[in-house]
PDB file of all heavy atoms in Angstrom:
ATOM      1  N   LYS A 229      11.987 135.098 -75.554  1.00 90.00           N
ATOM      2  CA  LYS A 229      12.858 133.959 -75.211  1.00 90.00           C
ATOM      3  C   LYS A 229      13.095 133.871 -73.711  1.00 90.00           C
ATOM      4  O   LYS A 229      13.145 132.770 -73.152  1.00 90.00           O
ATOM      5  CB  LYS A 229      14.187 134.064 -75.972  1.00 90.00           C
ATOM      6  CG  LYS A 229      14.063 133.795 -77.462  1.00 90.00           C
ATOM      7  CD  LYS A 229      15.401 133.875 -78.153  1.00 90.00           C
ATOM      8  CE  LYS A 229      15.272 133.510 -79.644  1.00 90.00           C
ATOM      9  NZ  LYS A 229      16.572 133.577 -80.345  1.00 90.00           N
ATOM     10  N   ILE A 230      13.224 135.009 -73.044  1.00 93.00           N
ATOM     11  CA  ILE A 230      13.406 135.025 -71.585  1.00 93.00           C
ATOM     12  C   ILE A 230      12.161 134.472 -70.909  1.00 93.00           C
ATOM     13  O   ILE A 230      12.245 133.626 -70.002  1.00 93.00           O
ATOM     14  CB  ILE A 230      13.714 136.445 -71.089  1.00 93.00           C
ATOM     15  CG1 ILE A 230      15.072 136.895 -71.579  1.00 93.00           C
ATOM     16  CG2 ILE A 230      13.664 136.485 -69.549  1.00 93.00           C
ATOM     17  CD1 ILE A 230      15.383 138.342 -71.266  1.00 93.00           C
ATOM     18  N   LEU A 231      10.991 134.933 -71.333  1.00 90.00           N
ATOM     19  CA  LEU A 231       9.744 134.470 -70.758  1.00 90.00           C
ATOM     20  C   LEU A 231       9.555 132.972 -70.936  1.00 90.00           C
ATOM     21  O   LEU A 231       9.124 132.250 -70.041  1.00 90.00           O
ATOM     22  CB  LEU A 231       8.556 135.235 -71.351  1.00 90.00           C
ATOM     23  CG  LEU A 231       8.442 136.687 -70.946  1.00 90.00           C
ATOM     24  CD1 LEU A 231       7.408 137.406 -71.811  1.00 90.00           C
ATOM     25  CD2 LEU A 231       8.073 136.809 -69.460  1.00 90.00           C
ATOM     26  N   GLU A 232       9.917 132.508 -72.140  1.00 86.00           N
ATOM     27  CA  GLU A 232       9.791 131.085 -72.441  1.00 86.00           C
ATOM     28  C   GLU A 232      10.741 130.256 -71.582  1.00 86.00           C
ATOM     29  O   GLU A 232      10.356 129.234 -71.001  1.00 86.00           O
ATOM     30  CB  GLU A 232      10.048 130.853 -73.928  1.00 86.00           C
ATOM     31  CG  GLU A 232       9.859 129.392 -74.343  1.00 86.00           C
ATOM     32  CD  GLU A 232      10.061 129.198 -75.828  1.00 86.00           C
ATOM     33  OE1 GLU A 232      10.462 130.166 -76.519  1.00 86.00           O
ATOM     34  OE2 GLU A 232       9.804 128.086 -76.316  1.00 86.00           O
ATOM     35  N   LYS A 233      11.994 130.694 -71.506  1.00 91.00           N
ATOM     36  CA  LYS A 233      12.996 129.953 -70.743  1.00 91.00           C
ATOM     37  C   LYS A 233      12.630 129.915 -69.255  1.00 91.00           C
ATOM     38  O   LYS A 233      12.774 128.863 -68.591  1.00 91.00           O
ATOM     39  CB  LYS A 233      14.378 130.601 -70.919  1.00 91.00           C
ATOM     40  CG  LYS A 233      15.474 129.939 -70.102  1.00 91.00           C
ATOM     41  CD  LYS A 233      16.809 130.648 -70.279  1.00 91.00           C
ATOM     42  CE  LYS A 233      17.891 130.002 -69.427  1.00 91.00           C
ATOM     43  NZ  LYS A 233      19.183 130.714 -69.573  1.00 91.00           N
ATOM     44  N   GLU A 234      12.183 131.034 -68.714  1.00 90.00           N
ATOM     45  CA  GLU A 234      11.900 131.138 -67.278  1.00 90.00           C
ATOM     46  C   GLU A 234      10.477 130.684 -66.942  1.00 90.00           C
ATOM     47  O   GLU A 234      10.117 130.654 -65.767  1.00 90.00           O
ATOM     48  CB  GLU A 234      12.104 132.572 -66.807  1.00 90.00           C
ATOM     49  CG  GLU A 234      13.512 133.103 -67.012  1.00 90.00           C
ATOM     50  CD  GLU A 234      14.559 132.365 -66.195  1.00 90.00           C
ATOM     51  OE1 GLU A 234      14.182 131.809 -65.125  1.00 90.00           O
ATOM     52  OE2 GLU A 234      15.714 132.338 -66.599  1.00 90.00           O
ATOM     53  N   ARG A 235       9.694 130.349 -67.968  1.00 86.00           N
ATOM     54  CA  ARG A 235       8.298 129.916 -67.768  1.00 86.00           C
ATOM     55  C   ARG A 235       7.522 130.976 -66.992  1.00 86.00           C
ATOM     56  O   ARG A 235       6.806 130.687 -66.029  1.00 86.00           O
ATOM     57  CB  ARG A 235       8.251 128.566 -67.055  1.00 86.00           C
ATOM     58  CG  ARG A 235       8.947 127.451 -67.833  1.00 86.00           C
ATOM     59  CD  ARG A 235       8.838 126.125 -67.113  1.00 86.00           C
ATOM     60  NE  ARG A 235       7.462 125.640 -67.085  1.00 86.00           N
ATOM     61  CZ  ARG A 235       6.863 124.974 -68.075  1.00 86.00           C
ATOM     62  NH1 ARG A 235       7.536 124.711 -69.187  1.00 86.00           N
ATOM     63  NH2 ARG A 235       5.625 124.572 -67.956  1.00 86.00           N
ATOM     64  N   LYS A 236       7.696 132.233 -67.418  1.00 89.00           N
ATOM     65  CA  LYS A 236       6.995 133.366 -66.820  1.00 89.00           C
ATOM     66  C   LYS A 236       6.109 134.024 -67.858  1.00 89.00           C
ATOM     67  O   LYS A 236       6.194 133.737 -69.044  1.00 89.00           O
ATOM     68  CB  LYS A 236       7.998 134.381 -66.268  1.00 89.00           C
ATOM     69  CG  LYS A 236       8.965 133.833 -65.247  1.00 89.00           C
ATOM     70  CD  LYS A 236       8.292 133.467 -63.942  1.00 89.00           C
ATOM     71  CE  LYS A 236       9.312 133.045 -62.897  1.00 89.00           C
ATOM     72  NZ  LYS A 236       8.693 132.657 -61.602  1.00 89.00           N
ATOM     73  N   ARG A 237       5.252 134.929 -67.385  1.00 89.00           N
ATOM     74  CA  ARG A 237       4.384 135.664 -68.293  1.00 89.00           C
ATOM     75  C   ARG A 237       4.609 137.166 -68.232  1.00 89.00           C
ATOM     76  O   ARG A 237       3.975 137.922 -68.973  1.00 89.00           O
ATOM     77  CB  ARG A 237       2.919 135.380 -67.960  1.00 89.00           C
ATOM     78  CG  ARG A 237       2.502 133.950 -68.216  1.00 89.00           C
ATOM     79  CD  ARG A 237       1.044 133.805 -67.905  1.00 89.00           C
ATOM     80  NE  ARG A 237       0.626 132.412 -67.890  1.00 89.00           N
ATOM     81  CZ  ARG A 237      -0.437 131.974 -67.245  1.00 89.00           C
ATOM     82  NH1 ARG A 237      -1.171 132.829 -66.540  1.00 89.00           N
ATOM     83  NH2 ARG A 237      -0.759 130.718 -67.272  1.00 89.00           N
ATOM     84  N   HIS A 238       5.464 137.617 -67.353  1.00 94.00           N
ATOM     85  CA  HIS A 238       5.676 139.056 -67.164  1.00 94.00           C
ATOM     86  C   HIS A 238       7.134 139.394 -66.963  1.00 94.00           C
ATOM     87  O   HIS A 238       7.891 138.616 -66.356  1.00 94.00           O
ATOM     88  CB  HIS A 238       4.885 139.565 -65.944  1.00 94.00           C
ATOM     89  CG  HIS A 238       3.419 139.287 -66.016  1.00 94.00           C
ATOM     90  ND1 HIS A 238       2.877 138.098 -65.588  1.00 94.00           N
ATOM     91  CD2 HIS A 238       2.389 140.067 -66.445  1.00 94.00           C
ATOM     92  CE1 HIS A 238       1.561 138.151 -65.771  1.00 94.00           C
ATOM     93  NE2 HIS A 238       1.252 139.315 -66.290  1.00 94.00           N
ATOM     94  N   LEU A 239       7.512 140.555 -67.461  1.00 94.00           N
ATOM     95  CA  LEU A 239       8.850 141.094 -67.244  1.00 94.00           C
ATOM     96  C   LEU A 239       8.730 142.549 -66.832  1.00 94.00           C
ATOM     97  O   LEU A 239       7.979 143.315 -67.450  1.00 94.00           O
ATOM     98  CB  LEU A 239       9.680 141.028 -68.533  1.00 94.00           C
ATOM     99  CG  LEU A 239      10.167 139.664 -69.020  1.00 94.00           C
ATOM    100  CD1 LEU A 239      10.781 139.822 -70.426  1.00 94.00           C
ATOM    101  CD2 LEU A 239      11.200 139.087 -68.065  1.00 94.00           C
ATOM    102  N   GLY A 240       9.462 142.924 -65.790  1.00 94.00           N
ATOM    103  CA  GLY A 240       9.559 144.336 -65.463  1.00 94.00           C
ATOM    104  C   GLY A 240      10.465 145.005 -66.497  1.00 94.00           C
ATOM    105  O   GLY A 240      11.407 144.404 -66.995  1.00 94.00           O
ATOM    106  N   VAL A 241      10.164 146.268 -66.823  1.00 95.00           N
ATOM    107  CA  VAL A 241      10.961 147.008 -67.813  1.00 95.00           C
ATOM    108  C   VAL A 241      11.532 148.247 -67.137  1.00 95.00           C
ATOM    109  O   VAL A 241      10.801 148.989 -66.460  1.00 95.00           O
ATOM    110  CB  VAL A 241      10.106 147.403 -69.039  1.00 95.00           C
ATOM    111  CG1 VAL A 241      10.965 148.151 -70.045  1.00 95.00           C
ATOM    112  CG2 VAL A 241       9.485 146.161 -69.672  1.00 95.00           C
ATOM    113  N   GLN A 242      12.830 148.470 -67.323  1.00 94.00           N
ATOM    114  CA  GLN A 242      13.475 149.614 -66.716  1.00 94.00           C
ATOM    115  C   GLN A 242      14.143 150.508 -67.754  1.00 94.00           C
ATOM    116  O   GLN A 242      14.457 150.061 -68.857  1.00 94.00           O
ATOM    117  CB  GLN A 242      14.512 149.143 -65.688  1.00 94.00           C
ATOM    118  CG  GLN A 242      15.568 148.211 -66.253  1.00 94.00           C
ATOM    119  CD  GLN A 242      16.419 147.548 -65.159  1.00 94.00           C
ATOM    120  OE1 GLN A 242      16.133 147.703 -63.978  1.00 94.00           O
ATOM    121  NE2 GLN A 242      17.443 146.839 -65.567  1.00 94.00           N
ATOM    122  N   ASP A 243      14.311 151.771 -67.396  1.00 92.00           N
ATOM    123  CA  ASP A 243      14.963 152.706 -68.311  1.00 92.00           C
ATOM    124  C   ASP A 243      16.480 152.644 -68.156  1.00 92.00           C
ATOM    125  O   ASP A 243      17.017 151.788 -67.418  1.00 92.00           O
ATOM    126  CB  ASP A 243      14.427 154.129 -68.120  1.00 92.00           C
ATOM    127  CG  ASP A 243      14.732 154.670 -66.717  1.00 92.00           C
ATOM    128  OD1 ASP A 243      15.595 154.112 -66.020  1.00 92.00           O
ATOM    129  OD2 ASP A 243      14.080 155.677 -66.349  1.00 92.00           O
ATOM    130  N   GLU A 244      17.152 153.571 -68.827  1.00 92.00           N
ATOM    131  CA  GLU A 244      18.620 153.567 -68.821  1.00 92.00           C
ATOM    132  C   GLU A 244      19.192 153.786 -67.429  1.00 92.00           C
ATOM    133  O   GLU A 244      20.346 153.408 -67.134  1.00 92.00           O
ATOM    134  CB  GLU A 244      19.164 154.631 -69.773  1.00 92.00           C
ATOM    135  CG  GLU A 244      18.878 154.375 -71.241  1.00 92.00           C
ATOM    136  CD  GLU A 244      17.442 154.707 -71.654  1.00 92.00           C
ATOM    137  OE1 GLU A 244      16.668 155.197 -70.791  1.00 92.00           O
ATOM    138  OE2 GLU A 244      17.085 154.465 -72.817  1.00 92.00           O
ATOM    139  N   ASP A 245      18.428 154.384 -66.521  1.00 92.00           N
ATOM    140  CA  ASP A 245      18.892 154.648 -65.167  1.00 92.00           C
ATOM    141  C   ASP A 245      18.481 153.537 -64.193  1.00 92.00           C
ATOM    142  O   ASP A 245      18.711 153.660 -62.981  1.00 92.00           O
ATOM    143  CB  ASP A 245      18.343 155.980 -64.664  1.00 92.00           C
ATOM    144  CG  ASP A 245      18.833 157.155 -65.494  1.00 92.00           C
ATOM    145  OD1 ASP A 245      20.018 157.112 -65.909  1.00 92.00           O
ATOM    146  OD2 ASP A 245      18.034 158.083 -65.744  1.00 92.00           O
ATOM    147  N   GLY A 246      17.881 152.482 -64.719  1.00 89.00           N
ATOM    148  CA  GLY A 246      17.469 151.379 -63.864  1.00 89.00           C
ATOM    149  C   GLY A 246      16.140 151.602 -63.164  1.00 89.00           C
ATOM    150  O   GLY A 246      15.744 150.827 -62.297  1.00 89.00           O
ATOM    151  N   LYS A 247      15.394 152.645 -63.585  1.00 91.00           N
ATOM    152  CA  LYS A 247      14.100 152.938 -62.974  1.00 91.00           C
ATOM    153  C   LYS A 247      13.011 152.127 -63.668  1.00 91.00           C
ATOM    154  O   LYS A 247      12.948 152.031 -64.879  1.00 91.00           O
ATOM    155  CB  LYS A 247      13.800 154.419 -63.108  1.00 91.00           C
ATOM    156  CG  LYS A 247      12.456 154.816 -62.499  1.00 91.00           C
ATOM    157  CD  LYS A 247      12.190 156.316 -62.683  1.00 91.00           C
ATOM    158  CE  LYS A 247      10.830 156.703 -62.130  1.00 91.00           C
ATOM    159  NZ  LYS A 247      10.528 158.142 -62.335  1.00 91.00           N
ATOM    160  N   LEU A 248      12.135 151.534 -62.845  1.00 91.00           N
ATOM    161  CA  LEU A 248      11.019 150.764 -63.381  1.00 91.00           C
ATOM    162  C   LEU A 248      10.071 151.669 -64.132  1.00 91.00           C
ATOM    163  O   LEU A 248       9.634 152.700 -63.613  1.00 91.00           O
ATOM    164  CB  LEU A 248      10.268 150.086 -62.219  1.00 91.00           C
ATOM    165  CG  LEU A 248       9.052 149.253 -62.615  1.00 91.00           C
ATOM    166  CD1 LEU A 248       9.481 147.960 -63.298  1.00 91.00           C
ATOM    167  CD2 LEU A 248       8.198 148.941 -61.383  1.00 91.00           C
ATOM    168  N   ILE A 249       9.728 151.269 -65.381  1.00 92.00           N
ATOM    169  CA  ILE A 249       8.820 152.103 -66.172  1.00 92.00           C
ATOM    170  C   ILE A 249       7.576 151.320 -66.616  1.00 92.00           C
ATOM    171  O   ILE A 249       6.678 151.905 -67.218  1.00 92.00           O
ATOM    172  CB  ILE A 249       9.516 152.667 -67.421  1.00 92.00           C
ATOM    173  CG1 ILE A 249      10.083 151.538 -68.301  1.00 92.00           C
ATOM    174  CG2 ILE A 249      10.610 153.636 -67.017  1.00 92.00           C
ATOM    175  CD1 ILE A 249      10.653 152.039 -69.628  1.00 92.00           C
ATOM    176  N   GLY A 250       7.508 150.051 -66.317  1.00 92.00           N
ATOM    177  CA  GLY A 250       6.315 149.299 -66.703  1.00 92.00           C
ATOM    178  C   GLY A 250       6.487 147.810 -66.596  1.00 92.00           C
ATOM    179  O   GLY A 250       7.539 147.311 -66.168  1.00 92.00           O
ATOM    180  N   LEU A 251       5.438 147.108 -66.997  1.00 94.00           N
ATOM    181  CA  LEU A 251       5.411 145.653 -66.937  1.00 94.00           C
ATOM    182  C   LEU A 251       4.998 145.128 -68.305  1.00 94.00           C
ATOM    183  O   LEU A 251       3.995 145.553 -68.871  1.00 94.00           O
ATOM    184  CB  LEU A 251       4.403 145.210 -65.881  1.00 94.00           C
ATOM    185  CG  LEU A 251       4.397 143.718 -65.483  1.00 94.00           C
ATOM    186  CD1 LEU A 251       5.700 143.344 -64.784  1.00 94.00           C
ATOM    187  CD2 LEU A 251       3.206 143.438 -64.551  1.00 94.00           C
ATOM    188  N   LEU A 252       5.792 144.203 -68.833  1.00 93.00           N
ATOM    189  CA  LEU A 252       5.504 143.599 -70.138  1.00 93.00           C
ATOM    190  C   LEU A 252       4.916 142.228 -69.918  1.00 93.00           C
ATOM    191  O   LEU A 252       5.430 141.434 -69.143  1.00 93.00           O
ATOM    192  CB  LEU A 252       6.785 143.502 -70.961  1.00 93.00           C
ATOM    193  CG  LEU A 252       6.645 142.818 -72.327  1.00 93.00           C
ATOM    194  CD1 LEU A 252       5.919 143.731 -73.309  1.00 93.00           C
ATOM    195  CD2 LEU A 252       8.016 142.440 -72.888  1.00 93.00           C
TER     196      LEU A 252
END
Side-chain angles (χ1 to χ4, degrees):
K229 288 182 176 180
I230 292 173
L231 289 169
E232 183 177 6
K233 178 182 178 181
E234 301 295 334
R235 300 181 67 84
K236 302 291 185 181
R237 294 182 191 157
H238 303 86
L239 288 171
V241 180
Q242 56 191 7
D243 62 17
E244 293 78 3
D245 298 323
K247 180 182 178 181
L248 179 73
I249 58 173
L251 190 66
L252 177 72

